[in-house]
Amino acid sequence: MKKIKQSWAEPYKIKMVELLKMTTADQRKKAMKDAGYNTFLLRSEDVYIDLLTDSGTSAMSDRQWAGMMLGDEAYAGSSNFYQLEEVVREVYGYKYLVPTHQGRGAENILSKILIKKGDIVPGNMYFTTTRLHQELAGGKFEDVIIDEAHDPENEFPFKGNIDLDKLKRLIKKHGAKKIPYVSMATSVNMAGGQPISMKNLKELRALTKKHGIKVIHDMTRVAENAYFIQQKEKGYEGRSIRSIVKEICSYTDGATMSAKKDALVNIGGFLAVNDWDVFEEARNMVVVYEGLHTYGGLAGRDMEAMAIGIRESVSDEHIKARIGQVIYLGEKMIEYDVPIVRPIGGHGIFVDAKKFLPHIPQDHFPAQTLAAEMYLDSGVRTMERGVVSAGRKTNGENYYPKLELVRFTIPRRVYTQAHMDVIAESAARVYERRNKIKGLKMVYEPKYLRFFQARFEKL
Ligand code: PLI
């Protein structure tokens, strides 16, 4: 008899469905051209399976929807704020909470408070909005992620780790006073959703403590990081996701959060800190940029849904199925020889466009091209994470990242295993005709975060 597999399954059943629209090849050709070969500029009604992002695209639970009805829409002192504050303390352990409309709102406030002109901000790989806020505040981002993270084929299980020798060299060169904090992300997005290990975090805490440097945690996908620690790190096998998440947070001084990912809401974020002085300044500043300190740009109902979503996000069953689905898609892609970033990360499959389209130089945007080709093939919308996303340095020169990737991002609790099959088959079809694919040229480039609105033409 065939060996019996032990499958995972979704820890929920479906109560309501949203119908999808199918398109013809001709319709997609027109839509892609009209969108300037930028998947961000497509209308969502022209998309079949939307893997643009896992941000704000998750399906809320019946409990979260019920929570929306408990919205206390008072301008000041909404009961939903106090509920959220309690949940953030209980689940993450941070003392003080400032809600924001989404992650970048928190990044803006935090960067303005902690960074002075000329400061250095080391981090485990850049994220687009995070680095831009650090630069706008006068800082310079320095990448201190381990070298393995820049190699799509390296199978090291914790490619989100910080290279402590690189960090020590930066401290030696600039002095600790020039480094306000280390920007540490869990589940490093641009590296392919790669986790940081608890061991590395503990060592980071010890080193930064010695020099009086803070650690600020981009905790957007902390629960997904916790899953990899539970599965792969010695000593954490039997530990709950909840307890691992809390331990991660305990080695940091504060956090910015885009609740649109892990926390299963369509909008929302926050800044959470342990230091009263930073909190006081953030509370002053939030009223300028976001809204009063007890709503920060959110409706009461959004804060309620977030509080419930945070509790659901740290359930072992939820995370196992969430990442199980991502791994299922990745393994299908590997079966078809599609080159993807290994190991498979937490929130999506990252296809290596340099390897997929080796005949297209980086100046002709291989990842942008491949994302457009995926849409043309099947109506599956993916996203470029390469030279377009990396943008330009403050001196105007292009960044040329080693990683030139297309992200197939999986929204949480939205698509089924059958959708994953359709996606992998489409990627395989595009791979089969890869030699016929030509690159793109950029014909419009916005000043900030160009990947959102840039336009291209076919070469
Ligand atoms: O999109 P925001 O403003 O809620 O969050 C910004 C943000 C901060 N950190 C990290 C790691 C992110 O992934 C992030 C947003 N990510 C998006 C939109 C994404 O598609 O990955």
Side-chain angles (χ1 to χ4, degrees):
M1 199 172 102
K2 196 175 158 191
K3 190 165 170 272
I4 300 173
K5 253 174 67 178
Q6 181 119 38
S7 290
W8 56 269
E10 291 79 2
Y12 52 82
K13 56 184 178 175
I14 297 165
K15 195 183 301 232
M16 186 188 278
V17 298
E18 182 179 338
L19 298 184
L20 296 175
K21 192 180 136 188
M22 307 290 201
T23 47
T24 64
D26 281 343
Q27 285 168 336
R28 292 194 292 275
K29 208 167 159 183
K30 179 173 183 315
M32 194 75 265
K33 192 158 181 252
D34 290 349
Y37 297 92
N38 184 347
T39 51
F40 276 100
L41 300 178
L42 286 166
R43 288 176 181 234
S44 110
E45 63 180 17
D46 293 328
V47 172
Y48 169 38
I49 300 173
D50 204 347
L51 308 185
L52 185 71
T53 176
D54 63 329
S55 180
T57 53
S58 298
M60 292 209 297
S61 66
D62 51 356
R63 278 141 224 244
Q64 286 177 289
W65 280 107
M68 299 284 277
M69 292 306 293
L70 302 177
D72 170 3
E73 307 307 341
Y75 188 88
S78 161
S79 57
N80 312 116
F81 166 76
Y82 296 105
Q83 163 74 357
L84 178 62
E85 189 182 51
E86 193 184 309
V87 171
V88 167
R89 283 183 184 149
E90 168 200 310
V91 175
Y92 304 128
Y94 295 118
K95 280 193 203 152
Y96 308 116
L97 170 76
V98 177
T100 56
H101 77 285
Q102 59 182 81
R104 70 198 73 181
E107 290 169 351
N108 175 36
I109 292 171
L110 181 93
S111 303
K112 283 196 164 83
I113 294 172
L114 293 184
I115 300 172
K116 293 188 306 294
K117 195 168 168 22
D119 278 352
I120 304 293
V121 186
N124 51 348
M125 203 171 268
Y126 84 101
F127 183 72
T128 54
T129 58
T130 321
R131 183 177 66 191
L132 183 56
H133 280 300
Q134 290 161 356
E135 288 173 352
L136 290 172
K140 183 169 185 285
F141 176 82
E142 289 278 2
D143 191 1
V144 291
I145 203 164
I146 55 170
D147 289 341
E148 288 88 334
H150 295 281
D151 174 2
E153 284 169 44
N154 191 303
E155 295 268 4
F156 184 65
F158 293 103
K159 281 160 86 174
N161 278 358
I162 289 179
D163 184 329
L164 297 165
D165 289 329
K166 285 186 192 168
L167 182 57
K168 280 181 201 159
R169 285 199 291 275
L170 274 183
I171 298 172
K172 196 156 176 223
K173 184 170 167 199
H174 301 281
K177 285 209 159 54
K178 280 260 171 227
I179 302 179
Y181 63 93
V182 175
S183 182
M184 183 282 296
T186 34
S187 280
V188 178
N189 192 353
M190 302 303 277
Q194 300 294 326
I196 182 168
S197 72
M198 199 72 91
K199 179 170 178 286
N200 186 249
L201 249 178
K202 284 187 203 170
E203 289 167 358
L204 173 70
R205 175 74 291 178
L207 176 67
T208 50
K209 200 167 174 191
K210 199 170 106 191
H211 293 279
I213 298 171
K214 290 187 197 315
V215 175
I216 297 294
H217 177 197
D218 181 340
M219 62 180 302
T220 296
R221 298 180 182 85
V222 62
E224 292 171 3
N225 195 119
Y227 180 74
F228 290 106
I229 290 177
Q230 186 194 55
Q231 296 300 307
K232 297 182 179 175
E233 190 162 351
K234 212 165 147 256
Y236 289 89
E237 303 85 4
R239 289 271 301 271
S240 69
I241 294 295
R242 217 176 214 271
S243 76
I244 298 172
V245 164
K246 200 150 182 188
E247 185 178 338
I248 291 172
C249 297
S250 76
Y251 301 126
T252 71
D253 299 287
T256 53
M257 171 65 147
S258 169
K260 300 171 72 175
K261 286 82 165 172
D262 248 14
L264 299 162
V265 284
N266 305 120
I267 193 70
F270 59 77
L271 173 62
V273 292
N274 291 331
D275 183 332
W276 173 264
D277 295 341
V278 178
F279 170 60
E280 207 179 357
E281 229 175 307
R283 217 168 39 156
N284 273 316
M285 217 174 255
V286 75
V287 296
V288 181
Y289 294 103
E290 303 279 319
L292 195 77
H293 60 281
T294 56
Y295 76 83
L298 296 169
R301 54 180 172 268
D302 298 327
M303 291 189 282
E304 189 66 23
M306 196 196 303
I308 298 167
I310 289 172
R311 286 211 176 104
E312 290 179 4
S313 78
V314 290
S315 127
D316 281 47
E317 292 72 30
H318 162 71
I319 286 288
K320 185 176 171 200
R322 184 314 181 253
I323 298 183
Q325 188 178 45
V326 174
I327 292 174
Y328 177 86
L329 173 62
E331 286 175 350
K332 282 260 151 193
M333 298 260 220
I334 293 168
E335 277 173 33
Y336 286 120
D337 295 328
V338 175
I340 66 168
V341 172
R342 316 264 194 114
I344 294 167
H347 62 303
I349 297 305
F350 290 66
V351 173
D352 182 355
K354 275 189 186 167
K355 207 160 172 215
F356 198 113
L357 299 170
H359 56 286
I360 301 185
Q362 210 167 9
D363 277 327
H364 294 169
F365 312 112
Q368 189 77 29
T369 304
L370 180 51
E373 291 294 331
M374 274 303 300
Y375 175 75
L376 291 171
D377 183 77
S378 56
V380 170
R381 169 154 73 170
T382 57
M383 184 205 284
E384 192 262 12
R385 291 274 83 151
V387 68
V388 184
S389 293
R392 291 180 188 274
K393 300 177 190 169
T394 39
N395 68 6
E397 279 171 31
N398 272 314
Y399 282 107
Y400 284 99
K402 285 204 185 111
L403 297 176
E404 179 72 25
L405 310 175
V406 178
R407 190 179 71 175
F408 290 55
T409 343
I410 312 299
R412 297 164 188 78
R413 311 193 289 205
V414 172
Y415 293 111
T416 66
Q417 198 148 313
H419 288 117
M420 299 303 121
D421 291 338
V422 168
I423 297 158
E425 288 157 19
S426 174
R429 269 195 307 275
V430 177
Y431 190 58
E432 219 168 46
R433 62 175 173 78
R434 62 192 178 277
N435 295 333
K436 296 199 188 98
I437 297 173
K438 295 202 178 76
L440 296 168
K441 67 173 176 193
M442 200 187 289
V443 293
Y444 167 67
E445 178 176 353
K447 187 168 165 203
Y448 295 122
L449 302 174
R450 65 183 182 183
F451 57 97
F452 284 131
Q453 289 153 348
R455 297 186 71 84
F456 302 82
E457 278 171 11
K458 271 195 167 178
L459 282 172

